[in-house]
Amino acid sequence: MSKIRTDSLFETPQIEEVASGHIIRVAFESGVDSEFDYLVPDELWPVGTGQRVEVPFGRKDKLQIGFCIKADISHRETQRKFKLKKVARAIDKKPLLDEQLMELARWISSYYVCPLGQVLGAMVPAAVKRGAGVKTERHIYLSTTAEDFEQTLKQLRGRKQKQIVRFLQERAALNSRTALELQGALAAVGCTNAPIKKLAQQGIIEITQKTILKSLPAIPEGMTIRTEIVSLNDDQRKALTAINSGTDSGRFGVTVLHGVTDSGKTELYIRAIERALQKKKAAIVMLPEIALTAQTVQRFNARFDNIAVMHSGLTAVQRNSQWQKIKAGQANVVIGARSAVFAPVAQLGLIVVDEEHEPSYKQDTVPRYNGRDAAIKRAQLANAHCILGSATPSLETLSNCSSKKHFNLVRLPKRVMDLPMPQMKLVDLRLQYSAQKGVTLISEPLEEHLREVLAKKEQAILLLNRRGYSNFVFCPACKHILHCRNCDVTLTFHKSKLPQVRRTQTLMGRHMDYGYALCHYCGAQTLVPQTCPLCGKGMAMIGLGSQRLEEELKDKFPQARVSRVDSDSMARADYYRLLQDFSLGRIDILAGTQMLAKGLHFPNVTLVGIISADTCLYLPDFRSNERTFQLISQVAGRAGRSVKKGTVFVQTFLADQPAIRFALAGDFEGFVKEELKHRKSCNLPPFWRLAVVGMRDRNFEKLEAASKTMRERIDSIIGQENLKAVVRGPMPATISRIQRFHRMQIIVQAPQAQTMMKLFSRLRSGPAVRPAVKVTTDMDPVNLL
Ligand code: ADP
Ligand code: ZN
């Protein structure tokens, strides 16, 4: 637990002793891992848990906003009865978070080792906190009666005051019902605020305030979507029975829905939600951000009347109005990305997490929570049911199915309508390269097939998990590689249309266009030098990137319509437009990064090519096999989503790699068995828990010293508490420097979550590590770079 302090160290003497009154406990968003008690003046009472207040803080009593995390604390409970500072202002009229979300916040704070105030801050969208789109309208009316009117008028001195009073009287603005809008009245009379103030002080007029929230529709309109009700197949029916018995029980439970792409999972989510709504309960559906396309949202919108959406594509005003709609109980289905797990739904009956294996559910800034695991926790707190759906469930989830009694696994092994799975073709690039002359991204077999597809007026998706043009800029003569000045990574070459950058040559001797070298970690850009800064010879590019893929396609298929999708090439709106164009057949080949692998439905796509299945495998991460398997399976699901037969090409240099072999055979069970063997032998998740303590500083000596101290602390707690855990490090992180910060990490492995909790709760309650460096704790990390 974090420390509880009363902020009384720097009190000035004017603060009186307190014998009575309400005390609340406040946590700040700023990141202090302590909580502070304050006295609430009677006129501000009641203040509830989950409500924000403004309070004086620190030596200078600077006003700060914090969340009330406990209301009405007894005087005995607060450690210092005296000299409590007073709450200055209540920000919200009502609590933003209910008791259930507060409890979820406490869990996240303790499990993910993050100050409670920071968690609370992250739970409420910024747009809500600053009231985006909220307008205050003021209205005025006369508080005198008609009889007293003349008398009142006589008393008045100011000419403007008289004018206003007349104006109100003429319009019979005598009570709050017929009040006039203030600004309009002022404009009509032609006066400033001052006379109004005077009149109000004398009690002649009254001013009322009304807050109005602009509400903007957040759901795209005008897309046609098929809405006919299908009848479920046998597998679906069995699965739905299992889910419904969970929802009906009114008790917490998890159904893991393992179904291949197109097996009808989404249809089941919809049915399960219908059931929950019948029981007067609400539902939350979580999707990876990128899958939150207009297509998906429309599909739910076509089946439910009151849905709200929460995703990054909304404007601030939309975000606030959607949140308020949920809070007011006007939406009973919420669809959103990771943060939808915090939707202020009151009567929660069901949470669906689609693509539960997705690493993007893990937030990579504080609080570093996993949206899926928070969803499970929330379902538990709400006595609700949780569905985790995936074509390739994570090993953690599978292992929960066999070890936890409230987890239940159901399968949808077939595509609906018995569509065949696509044909999988392996292209061994080692053989290709020895036979071919130059280095190309599209192998001969893939090129040939692509030609056939184009000839038949069908469509193709090509996937390359790397942005830019090439990921190394180097000198063939002296082997010098361009590195980022600030980070320990190589620079990626990006082509640009800007003419100010000089020409360089590729390995193949072709002239490059203009471009710049970009660091994908800190965003630093440099011009690509024409000649090597060390030896003066010409620079060259190697490695692959989506820009280069696009170029090669345009070279090889000049008549085809090719579009590239990656985070460089587009904003979200353009992305949707492009998908729309693709579905209307205006684009033949879509080439891009993993943005393309998720949740899209294009019946005319008969070819999917994975340009390099190896990009994940080179990463030093224990989940790289799992990611590779998931990527290939996911992408395979994009092909042949109709009666037309689909083909998937998987290009690789590592044709013997088990993850690739199993993925090609569509053998999920085989892959899991093999991978679990490896994880078990190394005490890795899902068998043991993993946490990474990351430390960074610009000064390496300081960092080294602090890291050593951190290790000693960890060891001493483990010793004192007699915990079973394995600790490794401190060692340099895989990317040992980012933005000029050197990075070290300590990896902790423990068989039990409890052990981790014990270790980290003691670690955080101790004093800060010296010398002071930046410390982060990542529990259940999904990325070890
Ligand atoms: P998944 O979420 O597993 O990819 P979906 O639920 O999106 O699968 O189903 C794929 C397509 O099949 C959708 O267009 C859906 O409307 C349709 N579908 C789902 N279940 C059935 C069914 N029982 N009969 C006919 N079509 C179905
Ligand atoms: Zn950098």
Side-chain angles (χ1 to χ4, degrees):
M1 271 323 285
S2 48
K3 290 164 283 181
I4 294 164
R5 289 221 310 257
T6 51
D7 184 29
S8 57
L9 298 174
F10 316 115
E11 292 295 338
T12 39
Q14 86 250 17
I15 304 234
E16 73 266 48
E17 290 201 356
V18 176
S20 65
H22 301 280
I23 299 172
I24 59 168
R25 189 155 293 162
V26 175
F28 297 102
E29 259 184 65
S30 60
V32 260
D33 203 2
S34 312
E35 295 151 8
F36 302 85
D37 288 357
Y38 284 90
L39 190 73
V40 186
D42 285 342
E43 66 272 18
L44 294 183
W45 190 255
V47 171
T49 310
Q51 200 170 341
R52 285 175 308 159
V53 288
E54 196 170 45
V55 295
F57 183 75
R59 189 190 292 273
K60 295 213 170 118
D61 276 348
K62 215 173 142 223
L63 289 182
Q64 275 217 36
I65 295 177
F67 279 86
C68 167
I69 55 164
K70 207 165 179 198
D72 216 3
I73 294 171
S74 74
H75 284 256
R76 222 172 321 125
E77 198 184 333
T78 179
Q79 287 153 345
R80 304 243 189 152
K81 297 186 202 186
F82 307 109
K83 297 179 181 177
L84 284 182
K85 291 184 187 179
K86 281 186 187 169
V87 172
R89 186 163 72 99
I91 307 273
D92 311 302
K93 290 208 183 71
K94 283 190 210 130
L96 295 176
L97 300 162
D98 63 12
E99 194 34 55
Q100 195 182 88
L101 285 170
M102 289 299 296
E103 195 52 40
L104 183 63
R106 287 181 202 112
W107 177 78
I108 290 176
S109 163
S110 109
Y111 187 81
Y112 293 104
V113 197
C114 175
L116 181 57
Q118 257 179 344
V119 179
L120 294 169
M123 275 182 150
V124 184
V128 174
K129 282 186 281 195
R130 66 183 157 85
V134 176
K135 262 198 339 211
T136 321
E137 264 188 10
R138 290 196 292 172
H139 290 78
I140 49 171
Y141 60 92
L142 281 175
S143 50
T144 54
T145 57
E147 295 87 68
D148 293 344
F149 179 72
E150 287 305 324
Q151 183 68 21
T152 310
L153 202 57
K154 255 183 236 150
Q155 285 169 3
L156 288 177
R157 297 275 141 76
R159 194 169 52 88
K160 285 286 173 193
Q161 293 185 26
K162 281 188 185 168
Q163 268 180 325
I164 288 170
V165 171
R166 278 235 173 74
F167 178 81
L168 291 174
Q169 197 257 348
E170 277 161 21
R171 279 163 185 71
L174 284 172
N175 52 46
S176 57
R177 280 213 198 144
T178 53
L180 297 181
E181 201 273 314
L182 176 66
Q183 290 310 319
L186 289 182
V189 179
C191 82
T192 62
N193 260 319
I196 296 285
K197 241 193 194 154
K198 289 228 177 72
L199 288 169
Q201 278 162 6
Q202 298 166 65
I204 296 168
I205 63 165
E206 297 263 351
I207 304 177
T208 60
Q209 284 199 4
K210 202 158 87 187
T211 49
I212 299 167
L213 173 63
K214 251 205 275 178
S215 109
L216 281 183
I219 295 159
E221 282 166 41
M223 272 185 77
T224 45
I225 199 95
R226 235 187 55 216
T227 55
E228 81 242 33
I229 306 297
V230 296
S231 55
L232 299 183
N233 63 31
D234 280 350
D235 291 322
Q236 283 175 312
R237 232 174 296 138
K238 261 186 246 155
L240 188 62
T241 311
I243 293 166
N244 283 346
S245 77
T247 339
D248 291 353
S249 73
R251 266 175 293 131
F252 163 62
V254 181
T255 302
V256 175
L257 189 57
H258 176 195
V260 294
T261 341
D262 246 355
S263 59
K265 295 188 294 295
T266 310
E267 185 59 36
L268 285 190
Y269 303 153
I270 291 173
R271 304 284 173 118
I273 296 168
E274 283 170 351
R275 182 82 159 208
L277 298 192
Q278 278 165 17
K279 307 239 160 214
K280 302 273 175 277
K281 297 276 182 154
I284 297 174
V285 183
M286 289 162 65
L287 303 162
E289 183 74 53
I290 213 75
L292 271 166
T293 56
Q295 257 181 335
T296 323
V297 172
Q298 270 305 333
R299 199 164 155 198
F300 283 89
N301 196 37
R303 298 280 282 269
F304 299 106
D305 295 330
N306 303 312
I307 79 171
V309 295
M310 294 175 88
H311 58 73
S312 67
L314 302 181
T315 64
V317 175
Q318 284 176 324
R319 220 174 282 210
N320 190 17
S321 77
Q322 293 291 300
W323 192 91
Q324 301 292 351
K325 184 176 166 186
I326 301 166
K327 182 83 177 153
Q330 289 156 2
N332 50 16
V333 180
V334 178
I335 303 179
R338 176 177 56 219
S339 64
V341 72
F342 303 135
V345 170
Q347 292 292 323
L348 188 65
L350 181 69
I351 302 192
V352 177
V353 185
D354 191 29
E355 315 271 14
E356 66 84 25
H357 64 276
E358 265 298 307
S360 64
Y361 279 122
K362 183 86 197 280
Q363 176 151 301
D364 59 8
T365 53
V366 281
R368 294 187 157 76
Y369 69 98
N370 187 315
R372 172 203 56 208
D373 297 327
I376 297 171
K377 186 69 192 178
R378 179 148 189 209
Q380 188 190 13
L381 294 170
N383 286 319
H385 197 71
C386 180
I387 303 176
L388 305 181
S390 174
T392 50
S394 63
L395 297 185
E396 284 79 3
T397 293
L398 287 175
S399 115
N400 281 336
C401 289
S402 49
S403 67
K404 295 200 169 133
K405 66 176 190 316
H406 47 263
F407 270 70
N408 182 22
L409 176 65
V410 297
R411 289 202 175 85
L412 299 176
K414 291 195 294 280
R415 285 181 156 190
V416 283
M417 325 294 283
D418 271 336
L419 289 174
M421 289 306 278
Q423 196 189 4
M424 307 288 287
K425 291 202 170 153
L426 183 85
V427 180
D428 188 336
L429 291 176
R430 281 171 307 187
L431 305 179
Q432 282 295 319
Y433 276 22
S434 55
Q436 276 171 231
K437 279 181 280 329
V439 178
T440 56
L441 293 178
I442 300 162
S443 64
E444 274 163 13
L446 176 56
E447 184 179 336
E448 219 166 279
H449 199 96
L450 205 47
R451 257 179 229 296
E452 288 167 27
V453 165
L454 292 174
K456 283 191 277 183
K457 303 256 174 283
E458 291 167 355
Q459 291 168 297
I461 293 178
L462 297 182
L463 199 110
L464 180 56
N465 237 348
R466 205 178 264 147
R467 313 188 275 133
Y469 188 85
S470 77
N471 54 332
F472 293 102
V473 182
F474 94 131
C475 166
C478 78
K479 309 290 182 266
H480 172 65
I481 298 178
L482 285 192
H483 273 84
C484 178
R485 254 176 293 123
N486 310 320
C487 316
D488 180 27
V489 295
T490 58
L491 295 176
T492 303
F493 180 74
H494 285 246
K495 277 200 174 187
S496 82
K497 298 185 184 79
L498 302 173
Q500 80 265 29
V501 193
R502 286 173 229 135
R503 275 169 183 268
T504 36
Q505 277 198 320
T506 62
L507 263 188
M508 295 169 276
R510 261 195 301 156
H511 274 282
M512 298 285 308
D513 277 342
Y514 300 110
Y516 55 95
L518 177 73
C519 171
H520 282 185
Y521 288 85
C522 74
Q525 287 185 18
T526 46
L527 304 184
V528 176
Q530 199 166 18
T531 54
C532 173
L534 296 190
C535 75
K537 304 249 169 56
M539 296 293 278
M541 322 275 152
I542 46 171
L544 342 156
S546 48
Q547 280 187 335
R548 190 165 147 196
L549 175 60
E550 183 187 20
E551 189 176 274
E552 196 175 316
L553 282 167
K554 287 187 169 156
D555 255 15
K556 286 186 167 153
F557 306 98
Q559 73 294 0
R561 294 161 300 175
V562 178
S563 284
R564 172 166 61 92
V565 178
D566 58 35
S567 49
D568 291 329
S569 74
M570 59 191 42
R572 194 186 173 94
D574 299 333
Y575 171 62
Y576 286 168
R577 197 167 332 115
L578 200 87
L579 295 182
Q580 181 89 342
D581 283 353
F582 190 55
S583 73
L584 293 173
R586 293 180 189 146
I587 297 168
D588 301 311
I589 305 173
L590 212 49
T593 54
Q594 78 259 33
M595 286 178 88
L596 283 177
K598 310 261 143 57
L600 306 172
H601 180 85
F602 301 111
N604 199 36
V605 171
T606 56
L607 168 65
V608 176
I610 300 177
I611 299 303
S612 168
D614 312 338
T615 45
C616 294
L617 288 172
Y618 291 126
L619 297 178
D621 190 318
F622 71 91
R623 285 198 185 85
S624 58
N625 289 334
E626 194 178 356
R627 298 270 177 266
T628 302
F629 185 91
Q630 286 163 351
L631 176 73
I632 297 176
S633 316
Q634 206 87 48
V635 170
R638 300 295 117 226
R641 294 190 68 147
S642 67
V643 278
K644 290 179 190 161
K645 226 180 88 205
T647 311
V648 174
F649 277 79
V650 179
Q651 303 194 137
T652 174
F653 281 103
L654 306 167
D656 310 324
Q657 225 286 333
I660 293 182
R661 255 182 26 233
F662 284 118
L664 253 95
D667 182 1
F668 183 68
E669 271 70 33
F671 168 74
V672 169
K673 215 168 135 200
E674 176 87 14
E675 183 63 19
L676 284 179
K677 250 192 273 170
H678 165 67
R679 302 276 183 93
K680 181 145 200 165
S681 71
C682 302
N683 290 337
L684 286 167
F687 297 98
W688 283 35
R689 299 278 167 150
L690 192 79
V692 175
V693 182
M695 287 145 293
R696 65 194 151 94
D697 198 85
R698 294 207 165 156
N699 179 325
F700 188 72
E701 277 75 45
K702 219 171 107 191
L703 178 64
E704 235 181 353
S707 309
K708 257 171 83 187
T709 319
M710 178 63 85
R711 170 75 203 240
E712 284 158 16
R713 285 235 184 120
I714 292 174
D715 285 344
S716 105
I717 297 170
I718 288 176
Q720 286 164 18
E721 302 271 344
N722 197 15
L723 302 176
K724 182 172 180 188
V726 173
V727 185
R728 288 183 289 133
M731 55 196 150
T734 309
I735 299 173
S736 63
R737 203 163 58 106
I738 292 183
Q739 287 188 315
R740 299 192 178 199
F741 279 84
H742 297 280
R743 305 166 77 232
M744 299 279 264
Q745 57 187 26
I746 295 175
I747 295 181
V748 184
Q749 288 166 279
Q752 304 290 337
Q754 287 307 325
T755 312
M756 289 288 194
M757 306 275 272
K758 233 183 231 161
L759 170 62
F760 283 102
S761 87
R762 281 218 30 201
L763 205 54
R764 78 196 277 186
S765 64
V769 166
R770 299 276 166 224
V773 297
K774 292 216 170 9
V775 179
T776 54
T777 307
D778 196 355
M779 189 62 66
D780 304 336
V782 297
N783 174 350
L784 296 183
L785 295 179

